[in-house]
Structures are given as structure tokens and as C-alpha cells.
């Protein structure tokens, strides 16, 4: 079966651009490029990946597109644009020349306005995505799930995917409000979910497989086999686990699924969602 890592990052480390990488995350204060990831993907039987923006600039888009152009295993790019810009339609049209630019995201989790995605100016940009065939990655924390649900419902024909399960507080086993929010947003059939980034929301040094099971239960039950996909969040995952350690969590979980459901999770859903 084709295996796609639907969520990872590349960067040339810069202490200003990547100021979110604090002292506790020192292990990822370095460059991470396709040459670092390719042997890891080969080791674990992956055919390709989707590179996702980490810096909110259009310069980042071109950096990622250059990596994708020079490395066939980088099948798609999720970039960034200013959705509030007056020329947003022109910017989206410009990126259609790049076949591997599949969608966009905004770092909503970092906005002081927790309902930023409901801002009229932001939504006026999001509404343009559909005509160009772009996807949108929803990067939020649990406290924003209600706003994200309203956001997704506003654009029922727009393909959305939630990054990192909306970052539940796995470390403290805080699940109830998150589960309620995820079950609600999953009722929007245009929303998928990435099983990604979980180890960074757990206890970095003491996590165990059992910590993640209740959260994966909720996601698989709410979204179903057709709307879940695997993502590593490499290299960010390295603060809490190696690629192999992180990969083992969903591997153990999905082993109980049918071959068809496993194929969807490991690659088919991501390929269809992003048009890889």
C-alpha cells in the first residue's frame, strides 16, 4: 500500500523566524531538510510526504516548493498567504503555476483572538480557496474547536483537515471538552483529521502508548475511516520521540482495522485530500 506522511516540516534554522523553538526544544534547533528525512521515510516504507509551512511568509512557500521540485518524494506543499489581503485572489491564482502547492494554513493556535478564523476579512480570503482547488489545514488548540466548527460549517464545500487532533492536553489526560468539540466538528463532512503531533502534547519524557488510545478512539469513531490520515509532525516530534517511536503509536492502534481501512489511513486519504 502507498504510505504518505501527510504532515512534516523543513527549515533552515533561524533563531528569529523560529523563535517558537524554546530551550526545552533544543534538539530541533538545527536545519532539517529533505536529505535528512528521505532515509527515514525509506526505512519505514513511506512513498512520500507533504511539507507544511512553519513560518508565515510567502518566502516560506518558495522555500518549500524548491524542496519539492528537487525531491520527488515531497509530493505536496501546504503554504501560507495573507487571507486578509486585498489581492488574495491574485495571490492564489499566482500559486496555481506550482503543481505541488496543494493548500494553505494559518497558525490560528498562536492568535490572541481565539476566534480569528471567524474574522470577516479572513473568511473573505478563505471563500476564494474552493475556486482554485486548494485545501486548508486547521491548526488550533482545543479551546478553539467551537469557533473552528462554525468556521468549517460556513464553507461546506471547502476541504478542511484538522492538524494534530486539535492538540488535546494528553499530558494531563484532559479529554472531555476536547472529545465533545471533536465529535461536533466531525459532523461537518468536509472536515478530516490528521493523527499527528500527539507525542508533543503528552509528557515528553514519560509518555506511553496507553496515553493516546482514548484520543485515537474519539477521532476514529467521530471521523470514520475515510477522513483520518497519518502525519509525523517531523522534526517537531523529535522533542518527545524518534520517528520510529512516534510511528509505533498509530501503527499499534490501526493494526486492528481492515486492510482497506489501513490503506486509507496510511496513504489513500491523504492522496485524495491533497490530490497527490
Amino acid at each position: 500500500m502507498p504510505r504518505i506522511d501527510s504532515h512534516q516540516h523543513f527549515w533552515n534554522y533561524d533563531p528569529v523566524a523560529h523563535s517558537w523553538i524554546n530551550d526545552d526544544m533544543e534538539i530541533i534547533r538545527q536545519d532539517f531538510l529533505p536529505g535528512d528525512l528521505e532515509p527515514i521515510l525509506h526505512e519505514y516504507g513511506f512513498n512520500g510526504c507533504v511539507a507544511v509551512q512553519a513560518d508565515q511568509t510567502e518566502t516560506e512557500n518558495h522555500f518549500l516548493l524548491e524542496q519539492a521540485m528537487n525531491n520527488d518524494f515531497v509530493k505536496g506543499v501546504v503554504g501560507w498567504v495573507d487571507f486578509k489581503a486585498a489581492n488574495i485572489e491574485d495571490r492564489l491564482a499566482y500559486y496555481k503555476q506550482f503543481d505541488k502547492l496543494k493548500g494553505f494554513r494559518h497558525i490560528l493556535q498562536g492568535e490572541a483572538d481565539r476566534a480569528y478564523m471567524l474574522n470577516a476579512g479572513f473568511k473573505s480570503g478563505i471563500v476564494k480557496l474552493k475556486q482554485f482547488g486548494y485545501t486548508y489545514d486547521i491548526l488550533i488548540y482545543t479551546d478553539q474547536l467551537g469557533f473552528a466548527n462554525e468556521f468549517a460549517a460556513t464553507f461546506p464545500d471547502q476541504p478542511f483537515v484538522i492538524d494534530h487532533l486539535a492538540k488535546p492536553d494528553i499530558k494531563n489526560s484532559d479529554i472531555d471538552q476536547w472529545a465533545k468539540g471533536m465529535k461536533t466538528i466531525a459532523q461537518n463532512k468536509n472536515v478530516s483529521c490528521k493523527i499527528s503531533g500527539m507525542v508533543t502534547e503528552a509528557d515528553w519524557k514519560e509518555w506511553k502508548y496507553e496515553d493516546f488510545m482514548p484520543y485515537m478512539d474519539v477521532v476514529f469513531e467521530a471521523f470514520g475511516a475515510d477522513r483520518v490520515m497519518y502525519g509525523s509532525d517531523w522534526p517537531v516530534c523529535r522533542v518527545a520521540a524518534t520517528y520510529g517511536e512516534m510511528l509505533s503509536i498509530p501503527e499499534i492502534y490501526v493494526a486492528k482495522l481492515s486492510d482497506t481501512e489501513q490503506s486509507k489511513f496510511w496513504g489513500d486519504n491523504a492522496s485524495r485530500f491533497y490530490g497527490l
Side-chain angles (χ1 to χ4, degrees):
M1 68 179 76
R3 282 159 69 94
I4 300 292
D5 182 339
S6 72
H7 198 107
Q8 51 76 217
H9 306 283
F10 298 123
W11 61 67
N12 286 310
Y13 176 68
D14 178 275
V16 176
H18 302 111
S19 58
W20 56 272
I21 303 178
N22 60 34
D23 291 345
D24 293 333
M25 307 167 79
E26 187 174 359
I27 192 172
I28 59 172
R29 278 181 169 166
Q30 57 181 292
D31 298 349
F32 289 97
L33 296 169
D36 303 306
L37 179 61
E38 186 174 22
I40 298 173
L41 293 182
H42 283 170
E43 179 180 355
Y44 294 106
F46 284 87
N47 307 87
C49 63
V50 176
V52 180
Q53 63 82 224
D55 184 26
Q56 299 200 131
T57 65
E58 289 198 37
T59 301
E60 172 93 333
N61 299 343
H62 288 284
F63 166 72
L64 293 177
L65 286 166
E66 182 181 2
Q67 310 313 309
M69 183 175 63
N70 294 329
N71 298 274
D72 186 59
F73 74 92
V74 184
K75 304 297 185 185
V77 168
V78 175
W80 178 88
V81 287
D82 181 359
F83 285 104
K84 291 183 173 182
N87 66 338
I88 180 62
E89 191 165 347
D90 292 339
R91 297 315 299 151
L92 295 176
Y94 165 79
Y95 283 110
K96 287 307 292 181
Q97 68 184 290
F98 304 103
D99 290 342
K100 287 191 174 181
L101 201 296
K102 302 300 183 181
F104 295 91
R105 80 166 183 176
H106 184 86
I107 302 178
L108 294 169
Q109 68 173 30
E111 292 290 345
D113 176 5
R114 308 309 283 160
Y116 185 92
M117 69 286 283
L118 299 179
N119 178 282
F122 188 76
K123 290 195 294 183
S124 69
I126 294 293
V127 75
K128 308 286 187 185
L129 290 173
K130 177 63 177 175
Q131 72 187 83
F132 293 102
Y134 289 125
T135 62
Y136 184 85
D137 274 52
I138 300 176
L139 178 63
I140 54 171
Y141 280 113
T142 297
D143 70 301
Q144 295 170 292
L145 269 169
F147 304 129
N149 177 59
E150 183 179 343
F151 175 63
T154 303
F155 306 101
D157 297 323
Q158 172 60 44
F160 292 107
V161 62
I162 298 173
D163 292 344
H164 315 323
L165 297 76
K167 296 198 162 185
D169 184 2
I170 298 172
K171 181 177 181 179
N172 294 305
S173 302
D174 192 352
I175 193 170
D176 292 345
Q177 284 301 111
W178 169 85
K180 181 180 178 181
M182 290 295 276
K183 290 173 184 176
T184 300
I185 198 171
Q187 292 175 21
N188 298 286
K189 299 305 182 184
N190 57 322
V191 180
S192 298
C193 185
K194 292 181 182 179
I195 303 291
S196 61
M198 295 186 295
V199 290
T200 51
E201 305 311 313
D203 186 315
W204 292 0
K205 299 187 185 306
E206 301 291 337
W207 64 263
K208 54 189 181 300
Y209 171 73
E210 291 74 21
D211 297 338
F212 307 99
M213 286 185 63
Y215 298 90
M216 289 188 286
D217 282 341
V218 169
V219 171
F220 276 88
E221 180 180 339
F223 288 88
D226 291 329
R227 291 189 288 143
V228 288
M229 62 187 81
Y230 164 76
S232 66
D233 199 27
W234 180 94
V236 181
C237 67
R238 294 188 69 220
V239 303
T242 65
Y243 195 102
E245 289 169 342
M246 174 278 314
L247 176 63
S248 70
I249 299 167
E251 274 189 331
I252 294 169
Y253 188 87
V254 303
K256 64 187 178 186
L257 303 181
S258 70
D259 289 347
T260 299
E261 290 170 331
Q262 290 187 51
S263 291
K264 289 176 178 180
F265 174 71
W266 290 117
D268 293 348
N269 290 345
S271 295
R272 185 186 72 252
F273 181 83
Y274 285 118
L276 305 181

